Amino acid sequence: MTWFLSTVVERLHGLNESDWRLITSAAAIGAATTLAIVGVSQSVVRRSRVKKLKNEFKSLSSFPPIQPPPTPTPTATEEYLPEELIREQLSRNYSFLGEEGMKDIRNAFVIVVGLGGVGSHAVHMLARAGVGRIRVIDFDQVSLSSLNRHALAVHADVGSSKATVLATHLKLIARHVRIEPVVQLFDISSANTLLEGQPNFVLDCIDNLNTKIDLIKYCLDNHIKIISSMGAGAKADPSRIQIADISDTFEDPLARATRQGLKKKGVDGGIPVVYSTEKPGKVKLLPMEADKEANADEYAILPNFRSRILPVLGTIPALFGMAMASYVICKLANFEMEPLPIKGRFRTYEKILINIKKDKKPSDGDLEISVQDVGFVLEEVWFGKSALSGSFEKEKVTLTRWDISKPWKIDNLVCLTRKEAEEHSLLPFAKLESHYGKEFVDKVNGKLQSARELNKWRE
């Protein structure tokens, strides 16, 4: 051993500078390689652990039974699936909505009434988004003809309850979500029971007009948030689908009938709805066979239900349902999303610009905005509402300069009502905070900064 060490020392003494540099480089590469191997090893261990969890998940042969309402807290079922897998499954939603938003979604309780083409797709996406507890209500069964629009039903499900079919399929997709199937017809006499549990949101996906009106009125009277689906039948154009307050809907026969029915009950608006502006004249109710016309009511699913068939292109109710789910998910997560009513909007932009030109004084400087700019600022920055009062009536809102000493430009426009704008035009910029308060001024300044950033995407 001594001879070996002495030999090594002698050879080291004989090395020149070039040899030493080579040895040093080799040592550094060896150290880096060792660290890389350690890092890869740790990564492999992590992936192995997740893979093991996934394999255990796949190997489970039975699932916890689904219980009817009432139920324990939404988080009670999470013990059946490791949190690590739940978060991986919902990772895209976490990155989009954030920790707090997803916490609210996973703790949320949502009820969907009506599980046809619209309702089944809404439930499907709510479950995939991680809504903790979903109650699904429908009396009907899956039919062969409904497979063109149902979100999850297959041939083997024909003849089975729509509610239990959804629950069965969704527990294979999102085991961390509690699905409560209720096979029952909704009517006002059973509303207290069917809607119990303080839901965060109700989705009305009912076809029958009277039942729809009863459900909406019940939710309004009991301070339950609701979004309602209007007519998806006989429509084909996905670009016409809108979300708006029911008072702003047009070209939708079911929306018109629902509005009229609600007005008789003292309700003029305040209900977000999904509807289509497409005129439904191209496709009509299928004619009934001559020998059945005399007793048409006998061929309806239930008394007071439509007995004739309305043709449905399966994609449109699916889009209705997904639009409803998207709206509810954003509202639950407090993610800013304000649908824009389109009725007469371009005329509104033109009118606002005309009024600005009338009110502008020569000393105000150049008008550096177009009618397209008015539409962009009004809709994309201020969501069509007064920054101060929240009013969104198109006859009342306008745009005015936030800082009256600066030009009329995209990043210096605030949405106010006409009266608010007149009062604001008398305020110098230095007095805005003392007049409105710091919180409001900060809010507007933040919106104007957003306008500058969004405007880059228009160039």
Side-chain angles (χ1 to χ4, degrees):
M1 185 65 177
T2 303
W3 170 83
F4 173 75
L5 291 175
S6 63
T7 302
V8 171
V9 170
E10 286 177 11
R11 295 201 174 185
L12 289 175
H13 279 301
L15 295 176
N16 57 31
E17 184 178 350
S18 177
D19 294 331
W20 277 109
R21 281 200 300 268
L22 184 61
I23 291 171
T24 304
S25 298
I29 292 170
T33 302
T34 301
L35 290 174
I37 290 172
V38 171
V40 170
S41 176
Q42 291 175 340
S43 177
V44 169
V45 169
R46 283 195 299 270
R47 288 200 299 269
S48 177
R49 182 167 183 266
V50 172
K51 185 176 181 181
K52 182 181 178 182
L53 284 171
K54 289 180 178 178
N55 288 336
E56 290 175 354
F57 175 44
K58 291 178 182 178
S59 67
L60 293 174
S61 58
S62 61
F63 298 100
I66 298 170
Q67 301 294 332
T71 65
T73 58
T75 57
T77 59
E78 292 187 357
E79 63 186 271
Y80 299 113
L81 190 63
E83 176 66 13
E84 191 169 352
L85 283 186
I86 297 175
R87 292 186 68 89
E88 183 182 351
Q89 181 171 340
L90 299 174
S91 59
R92 297 298 186 272
N93 295 69
Y94 271 101
S95 62
F96 193 96
L97 300 168
E99 286 287 337
E100 288 302 313
M102 283 304 298
K103 179 181 177 181
D104 290 338
I105 285 174
R106 291 182 63 182
N107 287 329
F109 171 33
V110 175
I111 298 177
V112 181
V113 186
L115 305 175
V118 176
S120 64
H121 282 275
V123 174
H124 180 204
M125 296 315 298
L126 289 171
R128 285 192 182 274
V131 173
R133 177 184 172 197
I134 307 174
R135 184 177 300 160
V136 292
I137 302 172
D138 199 312
F139 71 96
D140 204 4
Q141 298 175 342
V142 175
S143 66
L144 194 59
S145 64
S146 67
L147 295 184
N148 83 315
R149 59 195 180 278
H150 198 280
L152 297 173
V154 296
H155 274 199
D157 297 319
V158 172
S160 299
S161 156
K162 290 179 178 178
T164 55
V165 163
L166 274 175
T168 299
H169 287 291
L170 287 173
K171 72 180 180 181
L172 301 175
I173 296 170
R175 286 191 54 216
H176 50 284
V177 176
R178 186 178 188 87
I179 307 294
E180 304 171 3
V182 179
V183 185
Q184 187 173 336
L185 174 69
F186 177 88
D187 61 49
I188 197 62
S189 65
S190 60
N192 286 338
T193 301
L194 294 178
L195 303 183
E196 68 179 0
Q198 298 181 325
N200 300 95
F201 241 106
V202 169
L203 283 74
D204 159 36
C205 306
I206 299 172
D207 289 333
N208 182 260
L209 176 62
N210 293 331
T211 311
K212 179 180 290 291
I213 292 171
D214 285 342
L215 174 58
I216 293 172
K217 185 65 166 62
Y218 180 91
C219 287
L220 292 177
D221 290 345
N222 290 274
H223 309 290
I224 300 172
K225 293 180 180 179
I226 183 171
I227 181 171
S228 179
S229 170
M230 298 293 106
K235 307 287 181 78
D237 187 349
S239 69
R240 308 292 184 88
I241 298 172
Q242 302 289 325
I243 302 178
D245 188 271
I246 194 168
S247 61
D248 289 322
T249 58
F250 64 109
E251 306 294 357
D252 187 314
L254 181 57
R256 180 173 62 251
T258 304
R259 280 199 314 270
Q260 293 170 349
L262 287 171
K263 281 184 178 180
K264 293 177 181 179
K265 295 178 179 288
V267 178
D268 291 321
I271 307 107
V273 301
V274 177
Y275 78 108
S276 170
T277 61
E278 181 181 359
K279 294 179 176 61
K282 296 177 183 177
V283 180
K284 302 181 183 299
L285 287 167
L286 295 182
M288 180 168 282
E289 297 174 21
D291 60 336
K292 296 179 180 178
E293 288 182 359
N295 301 303
D297 289 345
E298 294 181 8
Y299 297 96
I301 298 175
L302 289 172
N304 301 317
F305 274 56
R306 185 175 61 228
S307 55
R308 292 167 65 190
I309 296 172
L310 181 66
V312 180
L313 186 66
T315 54
I316 301 303
L319 290 171
F320 269 53
M322 290 184 182
M324 295 177 81
S326 183
Y327 179 91
V328 171
I329 289 164
C330 289
K331 290 298 181 182
L332 291 174
N334 294 308
F335 185 87
E336 189 172 18
M337 188 271 279
E338 291 293 335
L340 304 173
I342 67 165
K343 187 176 182 179
R345 298 307 286 182
F346 193 79
R347 290 194 297 273
T348 299
Y349 311 150
E350 289 179 323
K351 185 177 179 180
I352 288 175
L353 188 59
I354 290 170
N355 288 334
I356 288 174
K357 290 177 178 178
K358 286 180 181 178
D359 297 341
K360 190 180 84 67
K361 301 173 184 177
S363 59
D364 289 342
D366 294 334
L367 193 64
E368 301 181 33
I369 54 172
S370 65
V371 67
Q372 289 80 11
D373 294 331
V374 169
F376 164 71
V377 174
L378 184 68
E379 311 292 22
E380 300 297 331
V381 179
W382 298 106
F383 301 115
K385 299 188 295 187
S386 163
L388 188 60
S389 62
S391 174
F392 59 87
E393 294 182 44
K394 64 178 183 293
E395 293 84 4
K396 292 184 178 180
V397 294
T398 188
L399 296 176
T400 191
R401 290 175 299 166
W402 175 239
D403 184 346
I404 61 173
S405 67
K406 292 184 178 180
W408 294 80
K409 297 178 66 176
I410 280 176
D411 59 355
N412 189 37
L413 296 176
V414 61
C415 182
L416 299 170
T417 65
R418 292 283 295 171
K419 182 177 180 181
E420 292 165 350
E422 290 172 6
E423 296 174 355
H424 178 82
S425 65
L426 304 176
L427 294 171
F429 187 73
K431 293 188 177 181
L432 292 181
E433 188 168 318
S434 61
H435 181 80
Y436 292 119
K438 186 177 184 305
E439 183 179 353
F440 180 75
V441 170
D442 288 345
K443 168 189 168 183
V444 174
N445 287 333
K447 286 282 191 178
L448 297 181
Q449 175 61 33
S450 174
R452 283 188 284 274
E453 295 171 357
L454 288 172
N455 193 44
K456 296 176 184 177
W457 294 94
R458 302 173 67 223
E459 297 173 355

